[in-house]
Every structure is written in structure tokens, then in C-alpha cells.
Amino acid sequence: MGQLAAFIALSIITLAAAIVVVTSGNIVRSALSLIPTFLGVTGLYILLQAEFVAGIQVLIYAGAITVLILFVIMLTEGGTGLRVRQTTGQFPLGMLAAAVLAVALIAVFVGTPWPKTSGELPQYTAAPIGNLFLTSMVLIFEATSLVLLVSLIGAIIIARRER
Amino acid sequence: MNWFVEILKAIGLAALLFTFLAVVAAMFGVLLERKIGGWIQSRLGPKHVGPQGLFQTLADTVKLLQKEHITPYAADPAIFNTAPLIVATAGLMDWVVIPFGTIGTLVLVVRDLNIGVLFFSAMASMTVVGILAGGWASNNKYSMLGALRSASQMISYELPLATALIAVAMEAGTLSTVGIVRAQAGWLGSFVVRQFPAFVIFMIAATAEVNRVPFDLPEAESELVAGYFSEYTGMRFALFQLGEYAEMFAMAAMATTLFLGGWKGPVLPPLIWFLIKMYLVVFFLMWMRWTYPRFRLDQLLNLSWKLLLPAGLLWILITGYRLTN
């Protein structure tokens, strides 16, 4: 009961903010509306008892990525960011694409036989995540850090060239 | 109906904690700041309202409550009015994971989250959103510059802060704040000794995170007319101040929890020990404020990226080596 109520409330917050993100004519408002969206998703993670992922979601998405987006908007558009055109006028086509995607996703969700194992949830998720990263998932972990390193070096090179 | 009780408990604790913090952190903090500032600069500080100027902040608060809310004509009203709330809420949310002490076996903490340290750093990073939103919505070039400076500063110092937190969490073997306090035993066992480089990094980064001198570029009065909140009046201005002081006290409380052994200490009750240690850190932050001049922006960013971050990463490596051998 409580979980359902929380899920509905969080979904409404997430979706309402997401609608503002795509419809608002003001790009800064769109960027700021991303924050309630991310926080709503964080709440869903907490409902799924994935606190570590929830914490990272707030830190990285709501805290860092949104600030980065705002920063880019404010630095490029002379501090206002109001003159950016946000819609392309291809409203029907966009609706069609969204509808097709929604149908496909719902079909997949309904058609997938979700495994319902009766396992025990770990009491403390951070340590198992760390262990997995350094044992069976080590390739993915290392590949991700390599990608991040490459993008870091790329950013430095681009920044230096401008001088 | 268990969840219903939980929600009521959460609301009650939030009201209690936030009221306590609004009174203690913001009002007493401002008075302390002015008194210590006066003492360091060889002047008296507030003296006239109440005995020894004790009610000065109370008078200031009443004054702020009476002032008119002015929303500038060219401002974005929705964002302009929400921004102070974000800053204040984010500053106060930090306190959820701070353990204040113990009564018997009960630990006085709103919620002992098993991601405590991560939660703290996530909430601290939300402040910058409010500052950026406020600065942009004011539609004023000084506010805008202040907000942009604040954003670059906070992004830069979040990383060294996180490296210090990671080193402590590694040594303690847990992210829970209560667990970290329990992992420290005695004077030599506290993390200020075992994790001294992390302590130094944490204190520098924390000072920068809360925009205090010598890192107060976002609100430099002499060049930016107070930066991101120059357009705010009355209680909204006070909310920015409340958020800032709540965050500063939270950083001091976190330093106490992570490095100074939290509520532990001989003879006196745990809560008193916690407050003594926290106010020592607060005093240290104020002492720095009234002693050092302001950094330049490039010096500030260089310090973070070229010195603190490599030092923090190196210290994580050393800690990892020490723990595994």
C-alpha cells in the first residue's frame, strides 16, 4: 500500500517534470526541470532498495550533470539562453516516433518472462557492488574508466587548442 | 499502517531538526561570526541589543521577516522564488546522517543510512543548483557572474572532498556515519591521526564548498556586490544565509564525525563532546575567514585541480596499499 502510493507519487513527479523538460520554451527551465525528474528516479531506486545507486544518481545526475548543462547554457548564450529554439515543428513525426517506441517497449515489458527468484537482498549494497566491479565485472569497469580517461584527455586537448 | 507512522516520524524529526538548526546554526552562528570577527579585528562587534549584543541576530531576523519581497521585473519569477528554497533545503538535508551522540545504546541520528557519506556529498552538491538558478533568474550580470564562479568552484572542490571521504570510508570499511564513528577509538585511533592528509584535504575542500573566505569569490562584496543573491530581499535573502550557515555547520559536524571521533570522549556526556568538537571546527573556519585574504579565481582552480585532487588520489592509493598489506 505504502509502496504503491510512493510509486505513484514518484511517477507523477518524474513524468510532470519530464513533460516540462521537453515542452518548455525556455532552455534553462528545461535544464532545471531535469532535477525533479532525476530525483523522482532516485526515489524509485530507493523503493527497489538500491540505496547506493540512488546516492550516485543524486550525486552524478542531479548534482553534476545538470550543473554542467546549466553551465554550458549560461556560458554559450550570453548568460540568458532564451534565444535557443527548442522545437523543430515536426510535432506529428515526433509523436509518431514516441508512440512506436512506447508500443515496442510495452510489448517487450509484457512479453518478457521476468525471473522471480526468491533470493535474499544484500543488507549493504555498496560492498557487493565494489566486489563485483573488481572480480567478474572487471573488464566492463576497466573499459569504462578507459573511455572516461580518453574523454578527459580529449577535453584537455580541445581546451588547450583554443588558447 | 507502518509506513504511515514512518512518514509522521519523518515529518516530526524534520521539523525538530530544522527548527533547531534554523535557530542554532543560523542565528547563533551569525552572532558567533560577528563576535569572533570583532575579537580578531580588535573591535567589539554587536553590543547593544540585549546583554552583550546577544539578541542582535533575533532583531535582524525580525527585521528581515518584515521586509518586502521584491521580485525584479526582468527576473524569471518561478525560478527566482524557488532557488532560496533549494539552497536552504539542501543545506538542512545534510543533517539527516549526522550522529549527534548517544543516550545509552541509542544513537542520536535522524537516519543511519548505510550510504551516509555518499548521501552527505550528494546533498552538498545540490546546493550549487540553487545558487546557479538564483544567479541566473535574477537577470543581473553580477548575480550571473557570482553563480558561474560558484558553479565552477563547487564542481572543482567536490572531487577533492570526495577523495577525502573515500579514504575515510576505506579505512573505516563502511559508508555509514555511525559506523565511521565506531571505527575510531581513542585519541590516536581517530581518523585525524590515521587519515591526516585526508583531514587537511577535507577541511580545505569543505571551506571552498561552503563559499567561505579565502574561497568566497562567488559572493565577493567588493567586486560582485554579494554575487548570486544581490537581487534577493527579506526572508529569501535570509534563506540563502540559512542554507549557507546550515551547510557550514554541517561541514563542521561532518569533520567531527569523520575525523575527530564524533561523540566519543571521556567524562562528559557524548552530546556535549560532539558540540564541543563541532564548535571547535566552526571556530577554526571563522578564524580562517577573518585572517586570510581572498584567492584569485585561477589560483582557486589551480589549487583544486593541480594540488588537492592529485594529493587525494595519491592518498587513496596509499590507504589502499596500507589496508591490503
Side-chain angles (χ1 to χ4, degrees), chain B residues 79-131:
Chain B
I79 302 177
F80 185 81
N81 293 332
T82 325
L85 292 178
I86 303 175
V87 173
T89 314
L92 292 171
M93 284 288 274
D94 286 338
W95 288 86
V96 169
V97 293
I98 305 279
F100 293 92
T102 49
I103 294 176
T105 52
L106 180 77
V107 179
L108 294 175
V109 56
V110 176
R111 186 53 63 102
D112 178 24
L113 298 174
N114 56 21
I115 53 157
V117 174
L118 187 67
F119 176 87
F120 178 82
S121 125
M123 284 307 134
S125 78
M126 289 304 293
T127 315
V128 67
V129 173
I131 290 177

Side-chain angles (χ1 to χ4, degrees), chain B residues 197-214:
Chain B
F199 178 65
V200 174
I201 293 170
F202 181 88
M203 285 312 292
I204 296 174
T207 317
E209 275 288 294
V210 295
N211 294 331
R212 286 181 67 81
V213 179

